Amino acid sequence: MVFRVLAEATMTVHFAFLVYVVAGGFLAWRWPWAIWPHLVLAGWGFSTIVFGFDCPLTHLENWARHEAGEQGLRTGFIDTYLTGVVYPERYTTLLQMLAGLVVLVSWTGFLIRRRHPTRARVSAPS
């Protein structure tokens, strides 16, 4: 029971990680310090695609599933839960490029906002 919960929690964290890798740069528009963890995690996400690095979250989920007496993931996290389930496999490269574009847009917006900060408007007392 504990290992099944750990496996499910790891899967949930992995989904959150993917969302953060793609869209987390937009958080830095509001909270500039958030760009640093986003740079690190987006770099890790990029490296898993380009260099084929294994994600430790996948290993943790596999281990927990095996300990719970279940079958582990046959392939990686994205191949198991997204490819062929959320989108057809033929769109994988397109979606990877789109995710990269979203990250670049968020970083560009962050840089523009940092160079041209909006001035706080002070409202006159009523």
Side-chain angles (χ1 to χ4, degrees):
M1 176 67 174
V2 171
F3 291 109
R4 181 176 169 83
V5 170
L6 177 61
E8 298 297 322
T10 304
M11 179 186 63
T12 302
V13 168
H14 216 152
F15 273 116
F17 172 81
L18 288 176
V19 170
Y20 183 74
V21 164
V22 174
F26 293 107
L27 293 175
W29 292 18
R30 175 72 171 101
W31 299 287
W33 59 267
I35 197 68
W36 300 112
H38 188 259
L39 286 169
V40 170
L41 295 180
W44 175 259
F46 180 75
S47 70
T48 62
I49 293 169
V50 173
F51 303 114
F53 292 152
D54 292 332
C55 181
L57 290 172
T58 301
H59 289 293
L60 178 60
E61 182 181 350
N62 268 334
W63 174 80
R65 291 202 184 281
H66 286 295
E67 291 295 316
E70 298 176 2
Q71 180 180 357
L73 304 179
R74 283 183 239 138
T75 57
F77 178 84
I78 291 174
D79 293 334
T80 300
Y81 295 113
L82 300 177
T83 305
V85 177
V86 176
Y87 58 86
E89 186 175 349
R90 68 181 179 271
Y91 294 126
T92 298
T93 302
L94 175 65
L95 290 172
Q96 288 171 340
M97 291 189 303
L98 185 60
L101 180 63
V102 169
V103 171
L104 290 176
V105 165
S106 73
W107 290 352
T108 301
F110 171 77
L111 291 173
I112 289 170
R113 291 177 63 91
R114 295 298 294 165
R115 290 199 174 141
H116 306 289
T118 57
R119 295 189 174 138
R121 297 179 187 175
V122 179
S123 59
S126 359

